[in-house]
Amino acid sequence: MVDYPVDLNKCGPMVLDALIKIKNEQDSTLTFRRSCREGICGSCAMNIDGSNTLACLAHISDASKATKIYPLPHMHVVKDLVPDMSNFYDQYKSIKPWLQRNEVRFVLCILH
């Protein structure tokens, strides 16, 4: 485990803000996923202080104690905070969670 001190007066209030600041200023090799920053895509999911949550929605709770961040516990880790999503996408594809229509027959009507 690595400790990164972050000046919260010069950082946004979310855990994702702190991770971006650490990557930009302290450790450019730190690896994590992020995308929308709005809590919609779920790409920044990780274990923060013992709860699986999104880093973009997780407030840095108590500035006096360290926030503990781990990769998701139920997935294999590719690097740092990046889980292997292969199994997830295989399962997602197998249940087909998108709208599907039955075979549609088109009738062509020609008016004179």
Side-chain angles (χ1 to χ4, degrees):
M1 181 163 39
V2 180
D3 291 337
Y4 296 101
V6 176
D7 182 355
L8 297 179
N9 294 319
K10 297 179 180 177
C11 179
M14 303 301 188
V15 171
L16 184 59
D17 296 322
L19 289 170
I20 292 169
K21 186 171 182 62
I22 291 166
K23 184 170 181 75
N24 289 340
E25 298 176 6
Q26 297 180 45
D27 183 357
S28 63
T29 67
L30 179 63
T31 307
F32 54 92
R33 285 194 178 107
R34 63 188 173 101
S35 186
C36 73
R37 296 181 61 119
E38 300 291 328
I40 295 171
C41 71
S43 65
C44 64
M46 52 191 73
N47 186 285
I48 301 169
D49 285 334
S51 295
N52 296 339
T53 187
L54 301 178
C56 65
L57 297 180
H59 287 273
I60 300 172
S61 55
D62 185 358
S64 66
K65 66 174 189 161
T67 299
K68 296 185 181 203
I69 306 170
Y70 300 98
L72 291 172
H74 59 281
M75 302 178 88
H76 297 286
V77 176
V78 176
K79 183 180 179 199
D80 296 335
L81 298 170
V82 177
D84 180 2
M85 300 293 287
S86 301
N87 189 45
F88 168 80
Y89 288 122
D90 289 343
Q91 290 176 345
Y92 188 78
K93 184 179 174 184
S94 74
I95 62 170
K96 300 179 183 177
W98 51 81
L99 293 176
Q100 302 171 34
R101 66 177 157 177
N102 295 329
E103 183 180 332
V104 177
R105 297 179 187 213
F106 293 97
V107 177
L108 182 60
C109 183
I110 300 175
L111 299 174
H112 293 281

